[in-house]
Amino acid sequence: MKNQTRGVDYLDVITNFLDDNDIDIEKLVCVCTDGCPSMTGCEKGFISLLKKKYNLTNILSFHCIIHQENLAARVSIPEVDLVMKNVINIIELKNDTNLEAIFKEKREQKEYIEFWNLVPGKYKTLQKCAHFLMTMFTSTYLCETSYSKMKYAKNVYRNRLTDSHLDDLLRVACSNYKPDMSKIVKKLSQFQNSH
C-alpha cells in the first residue's frame, strides 16, 4: 500500500489483486482484519465497501486473533481474558493430534458435522462458528424448505416450544444425517425386542 490507507484504498488494492489472479470474489466467505476503522467502519470501511460493491451480504468478518492477542497483552480486563481463553483453546485444538487424526478420518468420509460434534465442549465457540458456516443456505430452496419445516414444527398445538428446542428440531429436520436407530436402541438399558 502506498500513500493513504482508507477503506477505498484497501478495496482498490485487493480487488485489483483478485482480478489479476482470476480469483472469483463471489466465493469469498469471510474477511479477517486488524480491526482498524479503515477496515471495519460502517460507511467507509473496507468490509462495508466490499459488501456494497459485490452485494456480499452474508460475508463474515473477524478481528485477527494475533492482533487481539497483541491488544490483550497490553490490558487486563475480564472481557479480554475471555478472548484470550478462546485464543488459547484454538491453539490447543490446532495442536491436538488425536483430534487431527479424527478430522482426517471424517474428512475422507465427508462427515464434517460428525467431527464437530466430537470436538470437546471446551471449544464451544469454535463449534458454534463451524456449525454456522456449515449450515449457511446455498440456495433459496433450502431456506424455503427450512421455513416450511419450522412452520410445521411450531404450530398451535406446540405453543410452548422454546427457541432452543426449535433450533434443535430444525437442525434435525434439515440435516442429511441418518442415525443408525437399531444401534441406538441396542444401547438403551431397557431395550426389549417385543416392542
Side-chain angles (χ1 to χ4, degrees):
M1 295 270 315
K2 298 176 182 175
N3 302 330
Q4 296 179 313
T5 54
R6 300 171 300 170
V8 69
D9 299 321
Y10 285 117
L11 184 67
D12 291 340
V13 169
I14 291 172
T15 53
N16 287 340
F17 173 81
L18 295 174
D19 290 342
D20 292 346
N21 293 289
D22 294 324
I23 299 172
D24 185 8
I25 192 84
E26 299 296 322
K27 294 183 180 179
L28 187 65
V29 176
C30 65
V31 176
C32 186
T33 70
D34 62 356
C36 68
S38 61
M39 286 293 213
T40 59
C42 295
E43 295 296 321
K44 295 182 182 177
F46 165 71
I47 295 171
S48 60
L49 293 172
L50 184 70
K51 286 180 179 180
K52 289 175 191 170
K53 183 172 182 178
Y54 294 102
N55 195 24
L56 299 172
T57 55
N58 291 332
I59 196 168
L60 300 172
S61 61
F62 297 102
H63 189 173
C64 174
I65 291 173
I66 296 169
H67 284 94
Q68 288 181 29
E69 184 178 6
N70 187 11
L71 292 171
R74 298 178 191 169
V75 182
S76 180
I77 302 173
E79 291 83 7
V80 174
D81 291 339
L82 180 65
V83 170
M84 287 309 298
K85 184 178 177 185
N86 288 332
V87 170
I88 291 167
N89 281 343
I90 291 169
I91 292 168
E92 286 175 1
L93 177 67
K94 173 80 174 92
N95 294 327
D96 190 332
T97 54
N98 185 32
L99 278 176
E100 185 179 358
I102 294 170
F103 176 73
K104 287 179 180 177
E105 176 187 322
K106 296 296 182 185
R107 184 178 60 193
E108 288 174 8
Q109 299 167 0
K110 297 188 180 200
E111 296 176 344
Y112 300 106
I113 294 174
E114 287 78 8
F115 167 75
W116 284 105
N117 289 337
L118 293 173
V119 171
K122 68 180 183 177
Y123 305 115
K124 192 172 250 174
T125 305
L126 205 53
Q127 275 180 318
K128 190 174 181 180
C129 185
H131 281 134
F132 173 75
L133 288 172
M134 287 187 291
T135 56
M136 286 176 57
F137 294 115
T138 55
S139 72
T140 56
Y141 168 76
L142 292 174
C143 185
E144 290 171 9
T145 54
S146 298
Y147 179 75
S148 296
K149 289 175 183 178
M150 181 189 73
K151 194 173 176 184
Y152 177 77
K154 198 166 187 171
N155 58 38
V156 293
Y157 303 110
R158 300 179 87 179
N159 58 3
R160 292 187 179 184
L161 192 63
T162 65
D163 288 342
S164 175
H165 288 114
L166 181 62
D167 181 52
D168 294 339
L169 284 170
L170 283 176
R171 193 177 299 266
V172 170
C174 298
S175 172
N176 292 332
Y177 178 73
K178 303 287 183 222
D180 186 356
M181 294 305 284
S182 59
K183 187 177 179 181
I184 294 170
V185 170
K186 286 179 183 177
K187 286 184 179 181
L188 294 175
S189 61
Q190 294 184 3
F191 171 68
Q192 296 178 6
N193 281 329
S194 63
H195 293 261

